[in-house]
Amino acid sequence: MSGRKAQAARNDELILQAARAVFTADPGAPIAAVAEKAGVGISALYRRYPSKEALLQKLCGDGLKRYIEVTELALAEEGDAWEAFAGYLRGIVDADTNSLTIRLAGTFRPTEELYHDAARADVLATAIHRRTVEAGALRPDVTVADIALLLEQIASIKLGDEKRTAQLRHRFLALATDALRVPPGHRELPGPPPEDGELAARWSPAG
């Protein structure tokens, strides 16, 4: 990679890291705040991302691809179904893709590529969920949408620095997974589960 291309790649990484930090803290922040945090000129940012919407699309696209990667790796595991499922949950928590959903859903117009990747992610999430239920390890009354909202709840935990936040998220994930695993004589969950349409509707911009 030439010096100019290497610098452009470094700038792109800085911009994306800054954008994630800025927009998950304040989705309404101006794009100039991203340039300032990244330490790059606004012109350098606009050369790569012509609008805030393009930057948000890139952030969420990268998040979806990471989600797909983690889930595919878990599905490739041929050992204990529960351990593979628990590893998938830990991987998603570490990837922190749900922070993007919590803060950015409905703030921009998804592209066709995003819709395609979201459909792929849904297929994979359904597959690992079904496999774990069929193995008799996951409560059958827990749905894929239940898991999605559970992961969002864990992603909402932010306390102290990044290390402390990660510790707490995994602590509460461990508590949650104990409730997800099929126990002897578990009681039925109250109320209907969330529906896929309810979750998907959040990505449609208001108005």
Side-chain angles (χ1 to χ4, degrees), residues 2 5 19 29-30 35 43 51 53 61 63-64 70 87-88 102 106 112 115 118 131 133 143 149-150 171 187 204:
S2 69
K5 287 183 178 179
S43 59
S51 67
E53 181 153 291
L64 270 173
V70 169
Y88 149 75
I102 293 169
E112 286 303 314
Y115 281 124
R131 186 178 75 174
V133 170
T143 68
L149 286 182
L150 175 64
R171 176 181 176 84
R187 65 190 181 106
S204 299

Side-chain angles (χ1 to χ4, degrees), residues 1-11:
M1 186 180 290
S2 69
R4 182 173 295 179
K5 287 183 178 179
Q7 183 60 49
R10 284 193 295 271
N11 283 347

Side-chain angles (χ1 to χ4, degrees), residues 50-96:
S51 67
K52 178 178 176 179
E53 181 153 291
L55 187 49
L56 292 174
Q57 289 167 346
K58 171 64 174 173
L59 275 180
C60 289
D62 285 353
L64 270 173
K65 286 177 171 57
R66 179 61 181 144
Y67 182 98
I68 289 169
E69 179 184 353
V70 169
T71 315
E72 286 178 336
L73 285 172
L75 280 167
E77 292 286 335
E78 296 180 351
D80 183 88
W82 173 259
E83 289 304 319
F85 184 74
Y88 149 75
L89 295 178
R90 290 191 295 269
I92 297 301
V93 168
D94 284 337
D96 198 21

Side-chain angles (χ1 to χ4, degrees), residues 103-172:
R103 300 297 288 166
L104 302 182
T107 64
F108 67 94
R109 193 169 302 281
T111 63
E112 286 303 314
E113 182 181 2
L114 283 171
Y115 281 124
H116 177 271
D117 285 347
R120 173 63 178 159
D122 185 59
V123 167
L124 293 169
T126 299
I128 194 165
H129 179 276
R130 182 187 303 115
R131 186 178 75 174
T132 315
V133 170
E134 290 176 351
L138 176 64
R139 297 175 61 137
D141 55 348
V142 170
T143 68
V144 175
D146 282 323
I147 299 297
L149 286 182
L150 175 64
L151 289 168
E152 288 182 26
Q153 290 170 4
I154 290 170
S156 71
I157 298 171
K158 291 184 179 180
L159 189 65
D161 59 15
E162 289 185 8
K163 181 179 179 181
R164 182 58 177 148
T165 290
Q167 288 176 335
L168 289 170
R169 287 179 178 179
H170 280 284
R171 176 181 176 84
F172 283 90

